[in-house]
Amino acid sequence: MGVPYMNDVPNSSIRSFLRLIFRWKGSLWKLIWRELLVWLVVYGILNIVYRLSLDDKQKIRFENICASIFLSQDHVSLTFLLGFFVTQTIDRWSVLFINLGFCDTFALNVVAYLQGTDLKARIARRSIIRYLSLAQVLVYRDISTVVRRRFPTLEAVRFAGFCNKNELKIFENVNCAGRKYWVPIKWAMMTTIEARKEGYIDSDFAVQDIIKVQQNTSLLELNVF
């Protein structure tokens, strides 16, 4: 997960900028400090050898080698390679962000199509949204260390209110060779169909739209994983 710095950027000053640059948590320094340390050590050794150990002829030879290496960079476009790398990195990030399933989308669809003010209708709406949120939590536990620390076990997920004791027992008893992200999605679809049978959803087209949103949410989450 990213570390937000938005509160520091608007109040920018020389002091806050320097504090932002040298912040360790979530910084570039924390990511590349090993490579940077190796590069500084090698550069320091070469600099000391060049200035203190080489004679004039050896310095000229060393300078010629450095010049030839510098000229050879024209054969490989460093700008092109860096641009390609940055493009691939941004594209990968944008695809992951687009594939994230947001609960607001399917929550609005459920509220719009599944009507009714009695207790059973409210429970059906809450159950569908809760099941889809449960599927999201199960996915994010496997791809995010922050979510894994927040929900280290399935019991922690249950205590947070995403499922009850009986649902957790059913989920654990499901025999599946792979991940079981699809189980809450199936529960949400079954609840939708049951609401249609009881008349809380007006048409089959509304059921189709709700199930389509549920399927898209499941596919997006699997793409993120």
Side-chain angles (χ1 to χ4, degrees), residues 167-213:
E167 291 169 348
L168 180 59
K169 185 176 180 180
I170 295 173
F171 180 83
E172 291 176 341
N173 291 332
V174 173
N175 294 323
C176 181
R179 304 289 181 176
K180 295 186 286 187
Y181 307 135
W182 55 271
V183 176
I185 304 295
K186 181 181 178 181
W187 293 347
M189 292 180 179
M190 293 174 61
T191 305
T192 302
I193 295 173
E194 188 66 25
R196 169 57 179 159
K197 293 179 180 179
E198 296 182 359
Y200 292 109
I201 301 178
D202 294 336
S203 64
D204 294 334
F205 295 103
V207 176
Q208 182 178 2
D209 289 341
I210 295 176
I211 292 180
K212 184 178 180 180
V213 173

Side-chain angles (χ1 to χ4, degrees), residues 5 19 30 41 48 51 73-74 77 104 118 122 126 133 150 167 177-178 181 189 197 205:
Y5 295 145
R19 186 171 63 250
K30 184 178 180 180
V41 170
I48 293 173
R51 295 181 183 276
Q73 294 179 356
D74 296 336
S77 178
D104 297 345
D118 58 343
R122 293 199 300 269
R126 293 173 183 174
S133 299
R150 174 64 178 84
E167 291 169 348
Y181 307 135
M189 292 180 179
K197 293 179 180 179
F205 295 103

